[in-house]
Amino acid sequence: AEQRLYDELGQQQGISQLMELFVLEIAADERIIHHFENVDIDRFHRMLSEHICELSGGPCEYTGESMVTVHTGMNISRAEFNAVVEHLMTAMDEQQLPVSTQNRLLAILAAFHKEVIHQ
Ligand code: HEM
């Protein structure tokens, strides 16, 4: 059987580290940082980690808001969405995750584009 994506990502610790790198990449991007000005970054990191843990088949239950609810009012553009995906790719490279693992996670997140863009 195929390995759980959760295991490929290094389980909870690997996901937490990956999300930390991801948040640092986002915070360094002038094109999108305005969306995060009033955001509680600790919560953001925790919610992202829970979300990815659950989506990848790990033993977590995401306790945050729905993707539509969270991103409503942000009017996120396709370019901004792509910028965030790029930051995830950079973070996954830094974590030295295999391309096959990276593609599995990207496929899951790409499916949210309709719930995140232009809400
Ligand atoms: C696949 C794409 C995306 C996914 C899966 C995603 C996922 C999430 C999750 C799980 C949270 C935490 C929700 C909570 O605290 O209850 C969140 C919050 C947030 N997201 Fe996204 N996100 C995506 C794309 C984006 C993009 C492209 C932007 C902006 C450029 C963005 C901006 C934000 C902001 C600003 C928050 C914090 C909201 C707050 O705490 O008030 N997200 N996102």
Side-chain angles (χ1 to χ4, degrees):
E2 195 174 28
Q3 215 194 350
R4 277 194 306 181
L5 180 56
Y6 173 72
D7 294 321
E8 289 185 17
L9 292 171
Q11 304 188 332
Q12 250 156 71
Q13 202 200 328
I15 290 170
S16 178
Q17 270 176 33
L18 178 64
M19 290 302 108
E20 204 166 310
L21 294 171
F22 179 48
V23 170
L24 287 173
E25 289 294 324
I26 289 174
D29 187 342
E30 302 276 328
R31 296 170 296 176
I32 54 175
I33 191 60
H34 62 280
H35 285 295
F36 295 87
E37 262 164 16
N38 297 313
V39 169
D40 174 345
I41 293 297
D42 282 342
R43 176 192 158 88
F44 180 56
H45 173 265
R46 189 158 28 90
M47 288 301 131
L48 285 176
S49 300
E50 271 185 16
H51 195 230
I52 300 297
C53 175
E54 181 180 288
L55 291 170
S56 65
C60 312
E61 200 185 331
Y62 172 60
T63 59
E65 303 287 345
S66 80
M67 289 302 97
V68 171
T69 302
V70 169
H71 300 97
T72 289
M74 292 188 198
N75 199 18
I76 292 167
S77 68
R78 185 162 295 276
E80 289 174 326
F81 183 86
N82 290 340
V84 164
V85 170
E86 250 178 62
H87 295 318
L88 180 63
M89 292 171 77
T90 302
M92 291 192 293
D93 276 342
E94 286 175 2
Q95 285 277 87
Q96 300 186 314
L97 291 169
V99 170
S100 59
T101 302
Q102 298 196 16
N103 286 339
R104 287 180 76 183
L105 184 55
L106 289 171
I108 291 172
L109 295 184
F112 284 108
H113 75 276
K114 286 206 180 81
E115 291 165 58
V116 170
I117 295 174
H118 297 315
Q119 298 291 331

